[in-house]
Amino acid sequence: MKLLAVVFTLLSAVTGLAGSTADSQVSRTWITDVTIISPENLSHIEVGNVLIEGGRIARVERRKRSKTPAGARVVSGKGQFLIPGLIDSHVHLAAVPGVPYEVSLGPDAAKPVMIQEYLKQLPRSYLYFGYTTLVDLAVVDHRVLEEFRKAPLHPDLYDCGESLPIANGYPMSFAPPATRFQLFPNFIYDPKQASSIPAEYKPQDHTPAVAVARVKNSGGICVKTYFEHGFGRDRNLPVISSGTVAEIRKAATQTGLTLMMHANSFEAQKFAVDAGVDVIAHGMWNWGSFEGQSELPAEIKSLLDRIVDKKTGYQATIQVMGGLRAYFDPQYLTMPAIPQVIPARMLEWFNSPEGKWFKKEISEGDAPDAAMLEGFDRGPLRRVRQVAGYLASKDANFLFGTDTPSAPIYGNLPGLNGYLEMQQLKSAGLSLEQIFRAATINNAREFKIDSLVGTIEPGKAANLVLLKKSPLENVDAYDSIVTIWVHGKQISRDGLAANADK
Ligand SMILES: [Zn+2]
C-alpha cells in the first residue's frame, strides 16, 4: 500500500543550514576498545580497533593493541558496540507523512513552512536512527532527491528511477486522469488502455525495454513495478501481464538492475515469484480467499517455501499496517521519539483535528478506536506477522525496507519508522541476527553495493554507528546510538534531533 506525494515547489528555501559543522573534520579517526559487530563475522565477535582514513575504513583490528596511528583523533568505544551503518531499501522521500497531497502541492500559505522544515530535517532523522544508506523506490520528484543529496549531512541515497506501472494501473490510478501520465511518465503502454492514453505518449517509447533503459540512464540501481488490483475507492485496476513482466525481467537482467515488485497479496506474491523478481517489496497481509483462516494455509506455505528456495529478497514492511493502526492508538503521537524526528510545528498540526484527516479515510463507520485496533491486530497485522514468522523459521532472504511513508500517514515517520519496523520484525519471530543482516549485508548484496557498504571491512565507506548496547542482545539497542559516521564524518546523535538546540 503506497501512494506518492509530489512536492513540486517549496524547496528553494531549503538551503545549507541543516548541518552542524561543530564536529571538526579530521582525516584519521581511531575507534578503540570497541566490540565490532559486522555481519560477515558474527561467529567471532571481538573487541578491537577501527581506523577511518579519508572517509573509508582503513584498518580493522581484533584482539590487538596497536599504537595510535599518527595524527589520528581517538574515539574510545570502551563498553560500546560498532556496527555498519544501517540500510533501509524502501523509502519514498518526496512523500510527506501525514500531509494530504493537495496541501503539499498547493499554494496554502501556512503549510509550505511546515513542509520546508520537514524536508530540511528529513536526512537528519534517518541518520538519527542510524540509517546511512537509503533506496528510494519510485522517483516522482527529482528535486526532492537532489536537495536531499545536497544537504550537508545526509545518508547515501540510491533510487530505482521512475517506476514502471502499467498504464492506468496502481499507483498512477490514484492521480487524476489529466495528470497521472505526467506524474508517471515511465509507464508501460497497454494497448487495451489505448483510448485513455494521451496521444503524445507513443507505444514504442513505453515498452519494457525502453522503460528499463530510462531507469538505467537516470542512474537508477533498481527497477520497480507493481501487481496490485487496488483497494479503497480504486479497485479492479488493470495489472501487468506475465508476458510484459517477462520482458521487464529480461531488460533488468541485461542492464544489471535489481527487479522489485510491489506485491502484498497471496495472488500478487505468487505472480512475483513466477515472474522471477529479485525482491518482493511488501509483506503479505492480504490472503485472498484464505483471509478468514487463523493458521497459515498449506497453499501459502508452499509459496513461501519457493520464496525461501529462490532466495527472493523479502521486505516484510509490517509497519505499513502499524502506521495505519497508529491513527487509533492514543499513545502514538505521545512517543518521546516523535519530536526528535519531526519539527514541532508539524507535530502540533498532527495533533490538531485537521492533522488527523487521514483517520476518516480508514475509519469504518463510527467504530470505536478500540475496535479498530483489535481489527488491525486480528486481521492484517496478524497475517503479515504470521507470514514473516514462517519465512524467519526458514531463514528467508529478508531485506530491511520500511516503505516510509506507505501512504500520506503520520504513522510512518522518517528514521523512527525503521526502529518500529525492527520491533515488529522481532515480535513476528525474526531473530536479532536476521534483523541485523537484513539491514546490512543482505540489502548491500541485493542492491550490488556490497563493495561499498554493509560490513566493517577495510576499503568500505566509513559509514558506521556506535551503540551503547548490542543489537544482537536486544532490539532496543538500535535506539541507544551515540555516534554516527557518514563517509568518515563524525556526527553525535543528539545534534541530529529535530528538537536539538542549534
Ligand atoms: Zn513503497
Side-chain angles (χ1 to χ4, degrees):
M1 182 182 299
K2 170 197 56 53
L3 216 56
L4 302 168
V6 184
V7 182
F8 273 123
T9 52
L10 315 172
L11 285 164
S12 54
V14 181
T15 52
L17 298 170
S20 157
T21 48
D23 291 306
S24 64
Q25 285 179 300
V26 294
S27 59
R28 294 178 131 189
T29 301
W30 183 229
I31 308 169
T32 61
D33 296 317
V34 71
T35 301
I36 301 167
I37 303 183
S38 185
E40 86 292 357
N41 204 36
L42 293 183
S43 54
H44 296 92
I45 293 171
E46 311 263 16
V47 172
N49 308 320
V50 173
L51 178 66
I52 300 172
E53 222 168 41
R56 297 211 170 249
I57 298 167
R59 203 195 307 166
V60 180
E61 294 183 349
R62 291 178 169 87
R63 287 200 304 176
K64 261 172 76 177
R65 283 181 174 273
S66 302
K67 275 194 257 169
T68 301
R73 159 188 185 163
V74 178
V75 175
S76 170
K78 201 167 170 99
Q80 299 181 326
F81 303 84
L82 191 68
I83 63 171
L86 302 171
I87 305 170
D88 185 342
S89 60
H90 189 157
V91 302
H92 300 286
L93 297 182
V96 180
V99 179
Y101 303 129
E102 51 282 15
V103 173
S104 57
L105 278 166
D108 185 301
K111 300 298 186 297
V113 177
M114 179 176 91
I115 291 164
Q116 281 169 32
E117 288 175 349
Y118 167 79
L119 291 172
K120 187 171 150 188
Q121 173 62 28
L122 179 62
R124 305 168 65 86
S125 294
Y126 277 109
L127 293 173
Y128 184 86
F129 275 98
Y131 297 94
T132 56
T133 301
L134 304 176
V135 184
D136 191 309
L137 254 53
V139 177
V140 287
D141 188 335
H142 291 277
R143 278 168 291 183
V144 172
L145 276 64
E146 283 163 20
E147 292 296 330
F148 187 96
R149 289 178 173 119
K150 276 188 219 156
L153 293 174
H154 62 88
D156 294 342
L157 174 60
Y158 297 90
D159 65 71
C160 301
E162 290 165 347
S163 66
L164 278 60
I166 190 83
N168 290 316
Y170 177 88
M172 65 189 293
S173 55
F174 286 90
T179 54
R180 62 176 62 154
F181 291 92
Q182 291 154 31
L183 292 175
F184 293 92
N186 207 21
F187 71 92
I188 300 294
Y189 205 92
D190 176 4
K192 283 184 248 152
Q193 308 290 324
S195 63
S196 57
I197 300 174
E200 67 258 41
Y201 299 101
K202 305 297 180 205
Q204 64 271 25
D205 297 332
H206 292 275
T207 64
V210 171
V212 170
R214 213 174 269 129
V215 171
K216 180 75 178 176
N217 293 337
S218 75
I221 62 166
C222 40
V223 174
K224 168 91 178 286
T225 188
Y226 308 84
F227 187 100
E228 173 65 67
H229 289 296
F231 43 82
R233 278 165 287 182
D234 289 291
R235 292 171 185 273
N236 304 316
L237 300 171
V239 292
I240 197 166
S241 70
S242 52
T244 300
V245 79
E247 288 180 54
I248 296 174
R249 171 70 276 178
K250 191 175 159 202
T253 303
Q254 285 171 350
T255 48
L257 302 179
T258 302
L259 177 57
M260 314 190 65
M261 181 169 277
H262 163 103
N264 56 46
S265 67
F266 173 53
E267 180 196 8
Q269 296 199 355
K270 186 170 181 305
F271 181 88
V273 172
D274 290 342
V277 304
D278 298 308
V279 180
I280 293 174
H282 281 297
M284 191 199 297
W285 47 77
N286 179 350
W287 289 7
S289 58
F290 303 112
E291 207 93 321
Q293 300 200 17
S294 60
E295 296 302 323
L296 263 182
E299 290 86 345
I300 293 183
K301 282 184 183 169
S302 72
L303 172 64
L304 300 179
D305 290 340
R306 289 176 65 203
I307 288 170
V308 172
D309 291 343
K310 295 179 92 164
K311 298 190 165 53
T312 308
Y314 200 90
Q315 298 180 328
T317 66
I318 302 175
Q319 264 301 101
V320 172
M321 288 299 140
L324 296 171
R325 185 190 187 280
Y327 280 86
F328 306 94
D329 176 0
Q331 302 301 314
Y332 175 77
L333 283 178
T334 68
M335 291 173 65
I338 290 186
Q340 291 160 344
V341 296
I342 56 163
R345 190 190 313 268
M346 189 175 230
L347 179 54
E348 197 179 312
W349 187 73
F350 288 166
N351 274 308
S352 73
E354 193 194 355
K356 297 185 191 302
W357 67 280
F358 196 86
K359 189 173 180 179
K360 292 191 202 77
E361 307 273 313
I362 44 175
S363 295
E364 286 168 11
D366 47 10
D369 287 359
M372 289 298 296
L373 290 176
E374 202 183 318
F376 275 105
D377 293 344
R378 289 192 172 186
L381 266 169
R382 170 186 60 83
R383 292 190 293 269
V384 71
R385 283 177 180 146
Q386 277 173 292
V387 167
Y390 182 83
L391 288 170
S393 74
K394 306 276 173 167
D395 206 18
N397 180 24
F398 283 102
L399 305 181
F400 186 82
T402 55
D403 194 14
T404 302
S406 61
I409 55 174
Y410 63 52
N412 295 157
L413 297 174
L416 172 62
N417 201 44
Y419 180 56
L420 298 178
E421 177 72 11
M422 287 181 166
Q423 291 177 320
Q424 294 276 17
L425 294 171
K426 181 74 178 63
S427 66
L430 274 77
S431 69
L432 290 167
E433 189 175 317
Q434 284 174 322
I435 294 169
F436 181 68
R437 287 180 186 281
T440 55
I441 190 66
N442 290 5
N443 261 336
R445 283 191 185 136
E446 194 71 52
F447 291 90
K448 305 184 182 92
I449 50 176
D450 53 319
S451 64
L452 298 170
V453 293
T455 64
I456 304 178
E457 291 179 286
K460 293 202 181 185
N463 287 2
L464 299 164
V465 179
L466 186 64
L467 307 164
K468 285 185 202 153
K469 300 183 194 169
S470 167
L472 302 181
E473 281 170 25
N474 196 316
V475 76
D476 296 353
Y478 292 105
D479 194 24
S480 72
I481 296 171
V482 183
T483 306
I484 300 104
W485 285 268
V486 187
H487 294 279
K489 190 166 184 183
Q490 183 174 327
I491 313 152
S492 84
R493 188 193 202 194
D494 293 342
L496 292 165
N499 57 356
D501 292 331
K502 295 193 182 96

